[in-house]
Amino acid sequence: MNRINLISIFSILLIFASFATSTPLKRQDQLTGFKQCQGTFPNSITVLTYTPNPVVLGQNVTVHIAGKATEVIKQGTTLVYTGYFENEPTKQAFQHQVDFCDTFVKPNGSECPVKEGDYSFIGSWLLEKHPNEPQNLVMEFGFNISVFDPNGKILSCLDGPMKVYYP
C-alpha cells in the first residue's frame, strides 16, 4: 500500500473518531423529567420511572423509585402526589396519597423501617377513573411527588411534568 492511501485511510478514521467523541451520548433520564424540589431533604430520589407513560386512569401505574436515605423510612410514611393545571401550585387539579411501606416496601420483600442507605422499590396501584372526568384526552400536569414521615416531615420531594390519559 502506498503512503498516500495510508494517509487517506488514517485521515478518514480520524474524522470518524472526532465525530464519535464530539457527539454526546444521550443518557436516559433517570427521573423521567422530574427534578429535586427547591430546599433540602434528608432522603434523595435518584430514580423515578413509571409505566405506562402517559399514565392511564382506570389502570394500574407501576412506579420504580430509588435513592439514598439518610433518615429511616418508618411505618406510616406516605407518598403524596399532587397534580397542578398549567404547572401552577395555586391551581391544584388533584391530590392522592399512598402508604409508602404498603405500596413500595412490602411488595419488594422488605419491611419498614427501611434503614439508612440506598433503596430501590417498585410499587403499583390503581389510578381510579371517575365518571365526570374527560374522555379520550391526554392532559399534562405539573406534578409534585413528596414523601412524608408519620409526623408530616418531608423526607423527599420531586417536581416535574406528567401526562395523564383519560380513556
Side-chain angles (χ1 to χ4, degrees):
M1 215 184 241
N2 66 29
R3 184 176 165 97
I4 294 176
N5 283 343
L6 284 175
I7 292 173
S8 297
I9 292 171
F10 180 73
S11 297
I12 291 170
L13 289 174
L14 187 60
I15 290 169
F16 282 122
S18 69
F19 280 122
T21 58
S22 67
T23 305
L25 296 175
K26 185 176 180 184
R27 190 182 287 198
Q28 184 177 354
D29 180 5
Q30 293 294 306
L31 290 174
T32 321
F34 283 78
K35 298 191 182 326
Q36 299 293 325
C37 298
Q38 291 199 350
T40 56
F41 306 96
N43 297 350
S44 65
I45 298 173
T46 56
V47 174
L48 176 76
T49 60
Y50 55 91
T51 56
N53 184 357
V55 297
V56 180
L57 291 187
Q59 294 184 9
N60 279 351
V61 61
T62 301
V63 176
H64 177 211
I65 189 169
K68 184 170 187 80
T70 59
E71 195 164 307
V72 172
I73 300 171
K74 301 174 185 170
Q75 187 68 43
T77 296
T78 56
L79 181 139
V80 177
Y81 57 98
T82 307
Y84 302 100
F85 292 114
E86 300 171 5
N87 206 22
E88 286 290 326
T90 59
K91 298 180 180 180
Q92 183 175 319
F94 55 86
Q95 183 175 68
H96 299 282
Q97 79 176 32
V98 296
D99 183 287
F100 192 88
C101 295
D102 289 344
T103 304
F104 291 100
V105 180
K106 290 178 183 176
N108 288 272
S110 297
E111 293 291 326
C112 281
V114 175
K115 297 180 181 170
E116 296 173 9
D118 294 335
Y119 65 88
S120 179
F121 300 115
I122 296 175
S124 184
W125 65 92
L126 178 68
L127 296 175
E128 292 185 30
K129 180 170 173 31
H130 302 284
N132 59 341
E133 293 174 327
Q135 292 185 353
N136 299 319
L137 177 68
V138 175
M139 292 182 67
E140 184 170 304
F141 294 94
F143 253 70
N144 173 272
I145 298 172
S146 297
V147 179
F148 293 89
D149 78 2
N151 297 320
K153 177 182 177 182
I154 301 176
L155 299 176
S156 306
C157 182
L158 295 175
D159 286 318
M162 185 179 285
K163 291 182 180 177
V164 177
Y165 174 59
Y166 293 85

